[in-house]
Amino acid sequence: MKLFFLIAFVGVTANASIFEFKDLKGYEKCLKQDHLLEKGAGEERILRPVEIQRRCVESAVKHLKAEKDKKKILDFIKITKRGTGHENAIELVGVLATADAKACNEMEAYEVIRKAISHPKDYPSVIDSYYEDAKAVIKNCMKDAEFKKDFIEEKDSSDSYIADNACAMLMEQKLIKECRKGE
């Protein structure tokens, strides 16, 4: 049975090239991979979709790090939202916020931020907590007055995780003094 399983994956050996895309088409192809066989140091292991997607996003972040064209970054965010969970695009929203904090108000970006804080603080992503990633992004987005105003309203969200997480972040930044009590 194990031999058959390995034979089935012979044609999908992971090499660095799948993660070295140069454009949206390559990125989308990367996100759509459902399995890869990674070989290295005499070992082989199968990468599952969530691992592949995380590495694709990491590569996109590196690819776009110096990008200033918010439309191009937003296109990568849109592709990410189509190919994986919205919250997995939080680091790309961070790239967008670095390029232009006003762009955090774009619906594509704001939806990612809300999704990333709609979980418990310790809700794990593949590597880290979405909360911690979102916290860093939100801090950068707060440079824009319109975003700050909108985000302050999130402390009153009907979604308890969003309300609690927004409130904690706002208190940490000393933008509010207290959070609403549980209802």
Side-chain angles (χ1 to χ4, degrees), residues 105-125:
N105 296 305
E106 296 284 342
M107 189 56 69
E108 293 292 340
Y110 202 84
E111 287 174 347
V112 170
I113 291 168
R114 287 195 87 231
K115 186 65 176 175
I117 64 170
S118 69
H119 305 287
K121 287 181 187 176
D122 58 354
Y123 185 83
S125 67

Side-chain angles (χ1 to χ4, degrees), residues 87 112-124 129-132 134-135 138 151-170 179-183:
E87 58 270 54
V112 170
I113 291 168
R114 287 195 87 231
K115 186 65 176 175
I117 64 170
S118 69
H119 305 287
K121 287 181 187 176
D122 58 354
Y123 185 83
S129 160
Y130 290 117
Y131 175 85
E132 291 300 323
K135 189 165 98 171
I138 290 165
F151 191 74
I152 288 173
E153 292 175 9
E154 295 295 353
K155 72 182 178 12
D156 299 319
S157 173
S158 61
D159 180 306
S160 65
Y161 287 122
I162 291 175
D164 291 348
N165 289 334
C167 191
M169 289 177 195
L170 292 165
C179 299
R180 72 178 181 180
K181 304 295 182 229
E183 296 171 11

Side-chain angles (χ1 to χ4, degrees), residues 10-182:
V10 169
V12 290
T13 302
N15 57 38
S17 65
I18 192 71
F19 302 111
E20 293 175 1
F21 45 82
K22 301 289 184 222
D23 56 20
L24 278 171
K25 188 175 180 180
Y27 180 54
E28 190 166 27
K29 181 179 178 185
C30 186
L31 286 173
K32 286 182 177 180
Q33 295 295 314
D34 61 355
H35 55 273
L36 292 171
L37 181 63
E38 184 176 58
K39 293 181 180 182
E43 294 182 9
E44 295 179 350
R45 75 180 191 98
I46 296 171
L47 298 178
R48 305 218 183 278
V50 73
E51 293 172 283
I52 296 167
Q53 291 169 354
R54 183 63 183 193
R55 285 179 55 182
C56 293
V57 172
E58 287 172 357
S59 293
V61 168
K62 288 177 189 170
H63 174 71
L64 296 169
K65 201 166 196 116
E67 184 63 54
K68 297 297 178 203
D69 180 356
K70 78 175 189 177
K71 184 192 176 320
K72 183 174 183 179
I73 301 167
L74 281 166
D75 287 342
F76 273 80
I77 292 169
K78 289 175 191 174
I79 295 278
T80 306
K81 288 171 61 178
R82 262 197 325 252
T84 184
H86 287 36
E87 58 270 54
N88 290 326
I90 192 65
E91 292 177 72
L92 288 168
V93 174
V95 172
L96 181 68
T98 299
D100 181 4
K102 289 180 190 271
C104 295
N105 296 305
E106 296 284 342
M107 189 56 69
E108 293 292 340
Y110 202 84
E111 287 174 347
V112 170
I113 291 168
R114 287 195 87 231
K115 186 65 176 175
I117 64 170
S118 69
H119 305 287
K121 287 181 187 176
D122 58 354
Y123 185 83
S125 67
V126 174
I127 296 177
D128 209 337
S129 160
Y130 290 117
Y131 175 85
E132 291 300 323
D133 291 340
K135 189 165 98 171
V137 171
I138 290 165
K139 187 173 184 178
N140 204 3
C141 290
M142 289 288 204
K143 294 173 185 172
D144 177 66
E146 184 180 341
F147 178 88
K148 183 188 277 188
K149 181 179 136 295
D150 291 342
F151 191 74
I152 288 173
E153 292 175 9
E154 295 295 353
K155 72 182 178 12
D156 299 319
S157 173
S158 61
D159 180 306
S160 65
Y161 287 122
I162 291 175
D164 291 348
N165 289 334
C167 191
M169 289 177 195
L170 292 165
M171 285 183 65
E172 187 175 305
Q173 292 184 34
K174 297 182 182 4
L175 295 171
I176 61 172
K177 293 185 182 200
E178 65 180 24
C179 299
R180 72 178 181 180
K181 304 295 182 229

